[in-house]
Structures are given as structure tokens and as C-alpha cells.
Amino acid sequence: MLAAMPPTPTPTPAPGAPRVRERGDACPGALRLHSADDGHLARLRLPAGRLTARQVEVMARAAETLGDGRISVTSRGNAELRGLAGDCGAELAALLAEAGLLPSPTHERVRNIVASPAAGLDGLGAADVQLWARELDERLCAAPWAAALSGRFLFVLDDGRGDVTGLGGDVTLVAVAPGAALLRLGDRTVRVAAADAPRAALAAARAFLTAAREAGTGAWRVRELPEGSGVDVRAALTTAGIASEPVREPLPPHGAPPALAPGPLGPAALHVLAPLGRFTAGRLRALLPADEVRFTPWRGAVVVGADPGRLPALEAHGLITRPDSPWVGVSACTGRPGCAKSLADVRADAVPGRPGLPVHYSGCERRCGHPHGDWVDVLAAPGGGYLVDGAPVPRTDLTPAVTTARTAPRTAPRTTR
């Protein structure tokens, strides 16, 4: 039924153009469940990571009654439920729809929108891009053609502080004063009015789809388009009735964005991290009461309407509340026993280290969920042990090796693996 929805087929490539994808888009969603060793997995797209208090409770209840009781936060601020029964698709869909988490069943996998999580809360930034995210989501769901986007196509909305600009968006918007935004698609950047920013992002995505369809190579992301098939952003905006002007200075290159530190965000909000990016249902409920909760790309949550005095209680629930915690920046893939490809139980083997570079534990060479920018690569090795940035390390020596790697000076960032 819902769990058995087929992948989107790949198009026929143009003559002489190599195919970049050998299969259709089978990215999991809330209605397209993925089969894993620990049961089925559902990925819930949460534009800007936003949840109402009621939706937090519904998600916790779904994890407890249908899954393994845990909620994983992805590097895009989305949520994953694991350990689901294969026949629970209809029940899960009904729960999510009733809570307003499925505004468009046809578009639920393409609602990939990351926005600066602290926008509008701490006095920083040039615009409240959380408002842009809500408008973009509404327009995205209302556009029938947008359902053809890949489940990996990503919109990034930065309020000007630079915290999410480097997260590898296909369409990136950056708020700049006064009342303007920079829009980046591939290697091209244009300036538009802030009031037009959400419409401009959607027009850029449509231009990508047109280019991808003409190339016929099965590209899911802008960077996968064949060389020479660039998208004419300005022409697409003109067609949509949006004024724009080219920008000579491009946005900063994709790099390691500054992570939002755990702790207070102004007088009425705070940011906490989930250990290894995973909340239990109880820890998720501990975030309440709240005006809203925003999952972050750093696998945590911004709690809006929370007094900083609540931080000790949240720490008592096992959440990371201090920027000097040795667990800040430590993440891991699912590992054993949930993933058949994993060579180790990486979540059990993960160790803290002196704060520094992000560190990610991977059970296989796919390195699922690794951070953007520079990071310490801890990869499970065949026969036991790990490779820490390529150097063999016994499991018993992980703590000193990871601590050294996180703080050692580097001659060049290791961003490609």
C-alpha cells in the first residue's frame, strides 16, 4: 500500500549524455517507508524543522506506539521514525495528517527546506526567514509540477548570519539589508526583493526541473546537471514576473557553517542537542511546554517560548545544553543492528572528545548523515576497529584518537570522502 509506492522513474538521457542516476528516486518519506534490518523507516519532512507543541506530542506518540520509541533528527532538520511495522503505513499517515504534518501527500517528500533556526529570536540576521520558509512551503505544495522534484532537492534559507548557507542547498536564499535577498542556483547568484524571495526560490527550482528534463540524465540535484546545461536563473525569474539583478560577488563557497551552540537564544528561547542526534519520546516531550519547536541541522532543537532557567532540567533528561560538552558535534549513522551494510554498532562505539571539529561515526563507506564542511571521519573497518581520518585505530583507543583529530591543526580541510 503506502509503503510500497514505486520509485520515480528515471528519464531517457539525451544522445551522448551519461546517466548520473541508474535508478529512480526511492528516497523514503512519510508515505514511502524504507525497509531496514530493524523494521521500516519513515522520514518526515519538516520545513524549517518547525513543529507545534501538539505535533511534538503526536510525533512522540507515533514513535512509541508504532516504532522503537526514538526520533532521529537528520542533517536537514527532518525527523526519522524507525522500527516501524511494514503494515503501519495507513495508521502512521492518519496520525500525521490529523496533526497537520502531511499538508500534501503528493509533495510530502519534496518539502526539504532548511532555514536559520534562530531567526527572529535573538536579534541577529537581516530577516525572519522562518516566515519565508512557511510561504515557500505553501507555494511548493500548491504547485503540481513541484511534485517531480527529487526527495533530495534542498532549499536553504539563511537570515544573513551564515549558519546554513554552507549546507549544500540546490536553491539558496540569503537575507541582506535593506529588504533584499541573494538567490544562488549552482554557480549563479542574483539579487531579488525580500518580498519576492519565496516565489523566486520556487521559480529557480522549476528552472532546474526544466534543465534536468532536457538533459535527460536523471539529475536529482543542481550539481548533477551535465556540464554546459546551466540554468538561466534571470530568465526564469523574469518569466515569473520577479525583478532581479546579477551579483558580481558570489555567495561564499560551500564550507563548514558555524553550528548553533546549545544554550540560551535571547530571553525566551533555547537550543539543545540530542545525543548522537536521537531523541527518545520522553526527551522530546521534555521540550514542552513550548510555543513551537524547531529541529536543527545540528541534530538538536530550538525551543521557542522557553525560559533559559529550564536548561538544568533538560540536561537532567540527558540532553546536551552546554557548548563545552564533549558530545557537541558528535554524530553517527544508524549502524548495527539497524543497517545491514554497517560493519559495527557505531552508536555504541561512539565516544566524546574535546570540543572542536564535528566528528561522524560511519558503519560503512556510504557515510550516511555525515556533516557538511570539514569533519573528523571515523569509519568502521572490516574485521573490527576503525579508521580515523584514514588511520587505523583499535576500538579501545578511539577516545584519544578522536580527541586529537578534533583539535589538531589541518593544512587543508577534509571535505570530500
Side-chain angles (χ1 to χ4, degrees), residues 6-415:
T8 304
T10 53
T12 301
R19 187 185 298 277
V20 296
R21 296 286 182 178
E22 293 299 326
R23 60 175 177 81
D25 181 8
C27 198
L31 302 180
R32 178 183 290 167
L33 307 186
H34 171 75
S35 178
D37 272 19
D38 57 349
H40 284 72
L41 173 154
R43 185 174 299 156
L44 283 59
R45 269 63 174 193
L46 306 174
R50 181 177 177 268
L51 291 163
T52 65
R54 181 165 166 271
Q55 289 169 341
V56 169
E57 173 55 41
V58 168
M59 189 174 294
R61 187 164 74 249
E64 284 179 329
T65 60
L66 302 177
D68 63 5
R70 293 185 285 267
I71 303 95
S72 296
V73 182
T74 75
S75 60
R76 294 181 169 189
N78 291 321
E80 288 185 350
L81 303 178
R82 299 189 67 97
L84 300 167
D87 61 355
C88 79
E91 185 177 358
L92 175 63
L95 266 177
L96 299 177
E98 194 272 336
L101 289 167
L102 280 179
S104 172
T106 55
H107 290 64
E108 59 97 5
R109 294 187 313 123
V110 305
R111 301 170 68 223
N112 293 300
I113 304 173
V114 171
S116 297
L121 300 176
D122 58 2
L124 302 177
D128 186 350
V129 294
Q130 291 281 325
L131 301 178
W132 290 1
R134 295 176 199 181
E135 180 182 343
L136 175 57
D137 183 40
E138 291 173 0
R139 292 182 177 277
L140 188 69
C141 291
W145 59 264
L149 289 168
S150 162
R152 298 188 185 182
F153 192 90
L154 177 63
F155 297 91
V156 168
L157 282 54
D158 193 298
D159 69 358
R161 73 183 71 204
D163 60 339
V164 296
T165 306
L167 293 183
D170 294 284
V171 176
T172 299
L173 286 173
V174 178
V176 293
L182 300 182
L183 182 150
R184 177 173 66 194
L185 181 76
D187 59 357
R188 303 190 181 183
T189 303
V190 299
R191 183 186 301 268
V192 299
D196 292 332
R199 282 201 307 133
L202 194 62
R206 187 168 196 173
F208 159 76
L209 269 184
T210 299
R213 192 176 299 115
E214 290 175 351
T217 58
W220 296 349
R221 310 289 306 275
V222 170
R223 63 174 178 263
E224 295 174 352
L225 287 173
E227 187 176 352
S229 61
V231 183
D232 191 339
V233 182
R234 295 199 69 197
L237 296 178
T238 299
T239 300
I242 300 170
S244 67
E245 60 182 31
V247 175
R248 291 190 178 184
E249 299 79 19
L251 294 180
H254 299 313
L260 185 65
L265 292 174
L270 48 87
H271 180 219
V272 297
L273 299 175
L276 297 179
R278 187 176 287 183
F279 285 94
T280 63
R283 284 174 177 166
L284 191 62
R285 288 192 177 100
L287 303 179
L288 301 177
D291 295 339
E292 71 178 33
V293 170
R294 303 172 184 175
F295 282 173
T296 74
W298 308 285
R299 296 181 168 88
V302 168
V303 187
V304 183
D307 187 284
R310 286 179 54 190
L311 286 170
L314 292 173
E315 186 171 13
H317 275 90
L319 295 168
I320 301 166
T321 64
R322 295 176 290 107
D324 60 351
S325 167
W327 286 102
V328 170
V330 182
S331 59
C333 70
T334 296
R336 288 180 178 171
C339 177
K341 292 183 171 63
S342 180
L343 300 176
D345 184 351
V346 293
R347 303 185 73 85
D349 291 342
V351 296
R354 192 178 303 121
L357 283 175
V359 55
H360 186 71
Y361 292 79
S362 303
C364 75
E365 292 186 355
R366 295 184 303 166
R367 297 175 171 88
C368 294
H370 71 74
H372 291 271
D374 196 9
W375 47 282
V376 176
D377 180 33
V378 184
L379 177 66
Y386 285 83
L387 300 176
V388 177
D389 284 336
V393 174
R395 181 181 286 107
T396 53
D397 292 342
L398 272 178
T399 297
V402 167
T403 295
T404 299
R406 295 188 77 182
T407 57
R410 300 196 175 201
T411 55
R414 299 183 178 95
T415 58

